[in-house]
């Protein structure tokens, strides 16, 4: 079984809809991350969480929110989806020192906003 | 500023050829960490290696090898005797202490039979 899982793997939605992407892990890592990948822009950090009570904004958090329900679960929400949020979204977990950890990525969720 | 440059956007080779993927980084820090990830056509990101700035020893893992040279700020990745399954986008990434993980733009490797 995969250590980091994301659901759904693919989602097509309409502008204005609320969407939740879920991530769960069995690695036992405290740190979790959400990134988006866009062609030509690489990966950009949306939010990260060092533990259940410690959540931080990344470089592109506007239009997104997160919830760390448990050590193993970290959800990303798009409150009102817009077309430029169409991207490949990755969840990752981190192990090691919090400032230099090695990150392990999930399989990704491909989101299309029409 | 922290930056990672992968100048090779696309590389195409024939199976069994050796191929080197270049990675050049910029950082003002003396302590930092370098990574390589593989993204196959299925889309997931697979961790390959982590290298600390204070450890310049090169590493070999099967057909994969990494050449870290601080003098030229490079962390190149070589695949020996490439195979079709090596076809993927490869990302180099940099992290300094307390900072975010910064990815290069990726190099798309196509290995043809």
């Amino acid at each position: 079984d995969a250590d980091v899982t994301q659901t759904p793997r693919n989602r097509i939605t309409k502008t204005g809809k609320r969407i939740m992407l879920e991530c769960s892990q069995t690695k036992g890592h405290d740190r979790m991350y959400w990134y988006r990948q866009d062609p030509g822009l690489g990966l950009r950090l949306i939010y990260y969480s060092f533990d259940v009570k410690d959540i931080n904004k990344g470089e592109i958090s506007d239009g997104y929110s997160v919830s760390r329900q448990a050590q193993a679960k970290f959800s990303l929400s798009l409150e009102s989806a817009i077309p430029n949020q169409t991207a490949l979204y990755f969840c990752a977990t981190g192990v090691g020192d919090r400032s230099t950890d090695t990150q392990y990525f999930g399989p990704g969720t491909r989101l299309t906003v029409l | 500023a922290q930056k990672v440059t992968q100048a090779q956007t696309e590389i195409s080779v024939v199976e069994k050829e050796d191929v080197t993927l270049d990675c050049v980084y910029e950082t003002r820090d003396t302590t930092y960490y370098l990574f390589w990830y593989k993204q196959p056509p299925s889309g997931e990101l697979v961790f390959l290696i982590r290298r600390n700035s204070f450890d310049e020893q090169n590493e070999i893992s099967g057909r994969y090898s990494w050449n870290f040279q601080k003098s030229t700020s490079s962390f190149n990745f070589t695949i020996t005797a490439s195979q079709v399954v090596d076809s993927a986008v490869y990302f180099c990434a940099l992290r300094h202490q307390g900072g975010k993980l910064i990815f290069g733009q990726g190099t798309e490797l196509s290995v043809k039979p």
Side-chain angles (χ1 to χ4, degrees):
Chain A
D1 288 339
D3 296 318
V4 184
T5 57
Q6 293 183 232
T7 55
R9 294 294 311 279
N10 289 281
R11 180 73 184 268
I12 299 174
T13 190
K14 295 182 178 180
T15 297
K17 293 291 187 181
R18 185 178 188 275
I19 297 297
M20 179 180 286
L21 309 182
E22 299 189 356
C23 175
S24 62
Q25 53 123 342
T26 59
K27 287 183 164 296
H29 296 166
D30 287 330
R31 290 181 290 291
M32 298 186 75
Y33 303 82
W34 274 104
Y35 291 86
R36 64 176 280 177
Q37 184 182 28
D38 299 274
L41 294 177
L43 279 87
R44 293 181 290 169
L45 182 63
I46 306 172
Y47 269 95
Y48 58 104
S49 170
F50 287 146
D51 61 41
V52 175
K53 297 181 180 180
D54 186 356
I55 294 178
N56 305 277
K57 292 183 177 180
E59 58 184 310
I60 53 162
S61 59
D62 287 349
Y64 301 95
S65 62
V66 291
S67 173
R68 185 83 184 265
Q69 301 95 321
Q71 186 209 36
K73 296 183 182 297
F74 192 36
S75 301
L76 176 72
S77 294
L78 286 67
E79 299 302 324
S80 179
I82 56 177
N84 75 2
Q85 291 178 312
T86 293
L88 181 57
Y89 289 84
F90 285 103
C91 173
T93 69
V95 65
D97 182 87
R98 65 161 52 183
S99 63
T100 61
D101 58 4
T102 295
Q103 295 180 20
Y104 296 89
F105 289 78
T109 294
R110 191 167 296 280
L111 176 67
T112 303
V113 183
L114 302 176
Chain B
Q2 321 285 336
K3 185 179 178 182
V4 177
T5 301
Q6 295 179 256
Q8 304 150 309
T9 305
E10 297 179 13
I11 300 176
S12 182
V13 299
V14 177
E15 207 170 20
K16 297 185 183 178
E17 285 185 20
D18 298 348
V19 58
T20 295
L21 310 182
D22 297 333
C23 173
V24 174
Y25 60 91
E26 295 176 29
T27 180
R28 295 178 187 168
D29 296 320
T30 54
T31 301
Y32 51 90
Y33 303 82
L34 297 162
F35 303 82
W36 276 95
Y37 287 86
K38 174 183 180 180
Q39 187 174 34
S42 51
E44 71 270 27
L45 272 170
V46 179
F47 166 75
L48 294 178
I49 191 172
R50 167 191 169 116
R51 175 61 71 211
N52 305 329
S53 59
F54 44 85
D55 180 5
E56 287 193 71
Q57 194 171 21
N58 292 327
E59 182 151 341
I60 298 174
S61 176
R63 295 183 298 107
Y64 294 174
S65 62
W66 290 270
N67 183 6
F68 177 31
Q69 292 198 338
K70 288 180 76 171
S71 60
T72 55
S73 298
S74 65
F75 186 42
N76 297 337
F77 173 30
T78 297
I79 301 174
T80 303
S82 60
Q83 300 176 2
V84 173
V85 294
D86 295 327
S87 296
V89 180
Y90 291 87
F91 291 94
C92 180
L94 165 70
R95 187 161 188 188
H96 62 97
Q97 282 196 300
K100 64 180 182 178
L101 192 58
I102 298 168
F103 286 85
Q105 294 303 305
T107 296
E108 183 171 2
L109 174 64
S110 177
V111 181
K112 302 190 183 304

